[in-house]
Amino acid sequence: MKDYIHSNYLLILLLSALLPANVSAQVQVSGKLTDESKQPVEFANIVLQSADDFYGAVSDGQGEFSIRASTGNYALKISVIGYERFEKELSIREDTNLGEIALTPLAIEIGEVTVKARRTVRRSDRFVINLANDPAVFGKTGSDVLSMSPGVFVQERDGTISINGKSGTRVTVNGRLLHEQGADLIRYLQTLRAEDIQRIEILPTAGAGYDADITGGVISIMLRRLRDDGLDGSAGVSYSFAPGAPEESVFSLRPSYSMNYRNNRLGMYAMLNYNEDHIFEHAVEETDFTTVDRSIRSNSDMPLARRTEQVRIGGTYDLDARQSVGLELYVSGDLQKNRSRTGLMETTETKRTDITSVYEGRNMTANRAASANYILQIDSLGSLFKALLDYHRNGTDNGQDYRAEYRGYMSLDSVYRSNVLTQNSLYAANADLELRFSEHTTLGAGLKYSRSEMDNSILFEYLKGTVWHENVPYSSENAFS
């Protein structure tokens, strides 16, 4: 009995000694941001990013920042509107003070005037970034500007946008809540020109005027409206490619067009975007097992093509100096086709199996949206009454086909296919009143009605002989409202 207890005691001590070696220690990385005059740079985004981890912070009024992160190798990235982007590789093993980091201002000259205006204002519940006619953001996208806005972290690799690292952040444009999320939202923001953005407001906590399920705050984007009568617009295209065999061609094509028109009280705008991307991946795997006589060799080709179209058309009409009505229509489509062909050889002792598999996938998404609003400016302090009607319909059609042929020790064929159809519809009506008594005192109230409908159909089938059979446990049809 004593030996048993003694053995377990030694085991506990051994585990206690080993566990810390397998857990990454948390350390603190700090520093201070300054400009060329040694003045602090406030409201800058500081990011530590590795292949697996992402940590962020915002510099305070003194330009100071502090980040808690696991030990490891990171890329330090610092971004703020009006300054050049700063990047540096770091190896963090203990608490580290980086000292002063000098950022280089973007000195943008118009004629003989150098533009260095204060862009970011901090209010009690939000940050406000004024971008109207700001040459520091010319040529950038909406996604670029957000990544330089205080507390906003855009991770294109993961398809996430967050405020202070909190998930559930939503984005509005001209007061309308965008229904795109994840990678679809980032792709839309990449189609916005920074020159067309009037103002961005960052609310870490969503107010009473938003749904309770918005847990990560709200980013409000107001697009520029043409104030004088006339027409302005822009058109552009970007193209990049990597030469190769026809099936291995890699290229990206992104034309875009935007327009603003105003005649007296009537204003209209339009945005058209088209993205086409072709990607090709080739993977080779060789695995040998040391404990058993087994090896795996595989060779895979994976071409992928994606096409996205977006059209947004809208208009406003000023009833008088304080009242306006607006209407917006939005249509988008996304088609992604991917194909994978893999040859695999598995050898176990003297038994060999050759597997040839082909996978084809098709993902189609269609969005239709319409919204109408009425806005009344109550006073010069910014008090507003807003009414909004919103409709959004999203449809997806995802299909997969898979065929695998086993030859050698195992000899069989596996063929199946699936198709998932989903339709979502959302109807919403909002009425919001915001009374502003001063810059720091606001009273808000609102009413909202919403109704959602969803139809979902899932079909899985497998081929037996020459006849397709439904895989009943995996197939279903559902309708919700």
Side-chain angles (χ1 to χ4, degrees), residues 225-227 261-269 314-328 372-376:
R225 293 174 59 185
L226 200 61
R227 295 299 178 183
Y261 169 79
R262 188 165 184 86
N263 183 6
N264 198 7
R265 296 183 178 183
L266 176 65
M268 301 182 67
Y269 58 89
T316 61
Y317 183 78
D318 298 331
L319 301 175
D320 55 38
R322 297 195 304 163
Q323 300 181 85
S324 66
V325 293
L327 176 67
E328 181 177 282
N373 64 66
Y374 166 79
I375 300 176
L376 169 64

Side-chain angles (χ1 to χ4, degrees), residues 81 108 110 115-117 119 129-138 193-199 222-228 232 260:
I81 298 174
I108 304 164
I110 303 177
V115 178
K116 291 184 180 178
R119 302 172 179 88
I129 301 97
N130 298 294
L131 300 178
N133 301 315
D134 189 341
V137 299
F138 285 4
R193 297 190 318 144
E195 299 95 304
D196 294 331
I197 299 176
Q198 178 83 12
R199 184 177 71 255
M222 297 300 297
L223 299 180
R224 182 172 62 90
R225 293 174 59 185
L226 200 61
R227 295 299 178 183
D228 300 323
D232 74 0
N260 282 280

Side-chain angles (χ1 to χ4, degrees), residues 95 160 310 397:
D95 290 349
T160 61
Q310 295 178 332
D397 182 354

Side-chain angles (χ1 to χ4, degrees), residues 382-416:
S383 299
L384 294 174
F385 171 77
K386 297 185 293 185
L388 174 69
L389 299 175
D390 189 24
Y391 167 75
H392 178 256
R393 182 178 179 87
N394 167 268
T396 61
D397 182 354
N398 298 329
Q400 300 180 13
D401 293 279
Y402 178 82
R403 172 185 291 274
E405 297 179 353
Y406 292 70
R407 296 294 180 265
Y409 175 69
M410 297 177 60
S411 183
L412 58 90
D413 292 338
S414 175
V415 183
Y416 68 82

